[in-house]
Structure formats: structure tokens, C-alpha cells
Amino acid sequence: MMKMDMKKIMIYLLSGLLLLTGCSEEELTSQLDTTPEYEKILAVDENASQADKTIYEWYKKYNTAFLYKFDDKDVHWLWSGTFVCYYEPWDVESEEDMAMLEEQLAVIETNLLSKYSEETLRQSLPYKVFLMKELRSRDSSLSSAWTTALSNGQDAMLVGYMQKSGSPFANSKFDSELGNIFSTFFFNSLSKRPDKFFESRIPVKYSLLTCPEDPAIEEEQKIKPDFDNPDHVANVCGYIVGYLSARTRLPNEIQDYADYLTFLTKNPGSEIRKITGFYWRIAWRATLFIEYCMEANGEDLIAVQNAAFPDDKVTMDDFKY
């Protein structure tokens, strides 16, 4: 669902509840405040903390409200089934807590926001992200209950910071769990999952593009084009870019999707032809992606590219392999 329509959706829900329950408008209208427009609430001035400035900057970029001050009803709103999670909010009066909140924001930047384009995040992040000091999937003291991320599956995400030991979780856990929750929102925003495109992903060992499972691909990587290409290893495997500083990390499915969308619509035809002419797997997977976008969304990516680069267009002939 599109985030800009959330207010309308809340109104429709209210109308339905009025009809189904016979409750008065006054009894239910207060619930609308759980999904307000956050512009005025999050706006900052020069005296604001660094955390508040960061949160407002993210709101302006992604239309998502990162909240560390909230009521319990805000968190419980639209939760599917009985709310059984446990959380401890940040103490806004504690300097130590506010310092750790800034650390949590840095973790979110590193392990989620920096991995995707602004456009992808704006489209797919939930409307609200509640920032917690502690978060558990259930009210239990077992270590397995502590988690970094949960979702109501609709318009909100919960992010925890501390583990049972009282120290922050490892980056690897943030990376995995934040990514899994974000994937849910991303794919829910699509009308149809691009199964054929994802089935064409080349498997690699250890998530490293330098270690394809098929040894023949490793031999292909030794054959270089006559132009400089820092993503040669990734392109041979059929991926637009490799991740991390060495550009050898396998992209996840969302990154893969977003990379192809950008490659096909944000580049002149000459640049696209240079890549598809040498790397047949890019041409193959681009064809699958173009077909998916047309079938699932009625979106003609060739036409989009042509409109953006009228003097350097592509055609389907540029993707023969």
C-alpha cells in the first residue's frame, strides 16, 4: 500500500467500524491519531538533538516517521491478532539512553538505509518505525525472544537495540533481521513477485560473487572486456553490481530488483549496450525483468528509457543473448 494514502485508509476503516460495531464517531475518531501526518511532530530547529535532526531528515527523504516517543496504543494499532510482544522504550530523560539512541540510528543507517536507493526506500519503508531500547517477540526472558525487528505486516515496523546481556546486538543480526522485515514490506508493495527473474539468480558460495558454484562461470570471470569495469565479476554472474567495498558481495533480492530497474531506466542506450553486448547473463536477466514489469505492472521499461534518453534509445534487440 502507498504510504501517502494511509490517512484515507484510516478514514475508510473508521467508516467500516462505525457500520459494523454501532460505535459512535467520537469513540473511534481518536484512533485516527495513531497515523497522523508527522511533518509538524518531527520538525526541528537549531536547538534540536542530533537524533531528532537525523529522524526529521529521514522523514523528509523517505516519508517514514522514526519514532522514539510514542503511546502504547500507537504500537498496538493495526497489529494482527493479540499483541504479545514486549518492549522497553527509550528513557528520553536519560542522557545515556539518548546517546544509545543515536547509536541505534547509526546502526539502522548502516544495516538498512545505506543498502538501497532513496526511491526504493521511499516506496517500500513502512509509514512508521518505532525505535525501542529492548524488543522481544514475546514476554519472555529467554534470549531467543530478544530481537532487533518486528512488523505488524501493514504500516509499522518495530526496531530493538539491546540484547539480554544489556549490550547491543551484533551488526550481523541487525543486517539479517532488518533486511528480512524490509523484504516483507518491499514485496508486499509489488502486485506480483518476479519469480522467473529471481529463479535466474546465479548461486554462489559464501555469498561471494568470486565463488560461483558453477566452475565454468569462474573461468568466464577471467575473460575481461576491452573497457574498464569494476563490476566485471558481478556482471559475469548476471548481477548489475557487487556489494561492499570489494564489489564482490552477492546482492540480496531487493538490491537485485532495484539494480536492474535503475540499470534499464537511468542509463543511455550506449552504456546499456556496452554491458549487454559483453555479458550475456545481464541481457538474459534484463529480458526477464522487462517482461515481468510489463506483465505485472503494465510498465514498458523500454519506453521509460527512450523517454529519458531520446537521443540514445534502447530496443529489445539490445538484449539478444
Side-chain angles (χ1 to χ4, degrees):
M1 68 180 60
M2 299 301 289
K3 287 182 287 188
M4 62 284 292
D5 292 332
M6 283 305 302
K7 201 69 171 180
K8 293 179 182 177
I9 292 170
M10 295 300 107
I11 293 171
Y12 296 153
L13 285 171
L14 173 62
S15 300
L17 287 171
L18 288 171
L19 291 172
L20 290 172
T21 67
C23 294
S24 69
E25 183 176 351
E26 289 74 18
E27 290 174 302
L28 289 176
T29 300
S30 61
Q31 294 295 335
L32 288 176
D33 292 334
T34 61
T35 310
E37 298 300 329
Y38 286 104
E39 174 72 30
K40 292 182 180 179
I41 296 174
L42 298 176
V44 296
D45 58 28
E46 65 273 9
N47 298 317
S49 67
Q50 185 56 51
D52 286 335
K53 290 177 181 177
T54 298
I55 286 170
Y56 186 58
E57 178 185 348
W58 289 354
Y59 177 74
K60 298 290 285 185
K61 289 174 68 174
Y62 310 126
N63 195 30
T64 292
F66 289 79
L67 306 167
Y68 65 92
K69 294 181 282 188
F70 46 80
D71 295 327
D72 288 339
K73 68 174 184 178
D74 299 343
V75 181
H76 298 182
W77 175 243
L78 288 184
W79 199 268
S80 179
T82 304
F83 187 87
V84 297
C85 309
Y86 170 86
Y87 58 86
E88 180 180 336
W90 292 107
D91 180 356
V92 298
E93 302 299 326
S94 166
E95 291 186 6
E96 181 181 7
D97 271 25
M98 291 299 93
M100 286 191 289
L101 170 65
E102 291 191 10
E103 294 172 4
Q104 183 185 37
L105 296 176
V107 164
I108 292 171
E109 173 68 39
T110 299
N111 293 286
L112 178 60
L113 304 183
S114 67
K115 295 178 179 292
Y116 306 100
S117 69
E118 182 176 331
E119 182 179 357
T120 298
L121 291 165
R122 189 172 181 87
Q123 173 187 335
S124 303
L125 277 172
Y127 195 65
K128 297 173 287 189
V129 177
F130 295 103
L131 304 173
M132 318 290 197
K133 183 176 183 177
E134 291 180 12
L135 178 62
R136 306 180 207 171
S137 58
R138 60 191 183 280
D139 190 1
S140 169
S141 60
L142 294 174
S143 296
S144 59
W146 262 256
T147 185
T148 64
L150 293 171
S151 160
N152 69 358
Q154 299 184 71
D155 75 331
M157 178 175 175
L158 282 58
V159 179
Y161 186 62
M162 311 296 291
Q163 55 185 313
K164 185 177 181 179
S165 64
S167 58
F169 282 106
N171 262 339
S172 58
K173 187 171 178 68
F174 283 112
D175 180 68
S176 173
E177 294 185 350
L178 287 173
N180 288 342
I181 294 295
F182 180 63
S183 293
T184 301
F185 284 106
F186 178 84
F187 290 116
N188 283 347
S189 72
L190 302 180
S191 59
K192 178 184 177 183
R193 182 180 168 87
D195 290 326
K196 289 183 180 179
F197 174 71
F198 288 143
E199 288 166 3
S200 71
R201 284 167 60 89
I202 300 301
V204 300
K205 293 178 283 189
Y206 322 116
S207 294
L208 291 175
L209 296 168
T210 50
C211 300
E213 291 185 3
D214 183 349
I217 297 177
E218 193 170 354
E219 290 301 311
E220 285 183 51
Q221 291 174 335
K222 296 176 182 179
I223 304 172
K224 303 293 180 66
D226 59 4
F227 55 88
D228 182 48
N229 182 9
D231 289 301
H232 169 72
V233 168
N235 290 171
V236 171
C237 291
Y239 301 101
I240 302 299
V241 298
Y243 282 77
L244 299 183
S245 57
R247 305 175 85 92
T248 56
R249 181 79 173 183
L250 177 73
N252 63 34
E253 287 186 342
I254 301 176
Q255 291 167 333
D256 196 16
Y257 181 105
D259 290 343
Y260 266 87
L261 184 61
T262 298
F263 172 69
L264 293 168
T265 61
K266 306 294 185 182
N267 284 299
S270 53
E271 183 64 25
I272 293 172
R273 284 186 289 274
K274 182 172 70 173
I275 299 299
T276 59
F278 190 86
Y279 302 99
W280 71 266
R281 289 186 184 85
I282 295 288
W284 168 49
R285 299 194 72 221
T287 299
L288 293 175
F289 192 81
I290 291 167
E291 291 173 350
Y292 158 77
C293 289
M294 179 60 76
E295 293 171 4
N297 309 317
E299 184 177 21
D300 185 347
L301 297 188
I302 298 296
V304 173
Q305 190 279 340
N306 290 179
F309 299 93
D311 297 324
D312 199 351
K313 299 179 180 180
V314 293
T315 70
M316 285 306 299
D317 287 341
D318 296 321
F319 301 96
K320 289 182 177 180
Y321 53 92

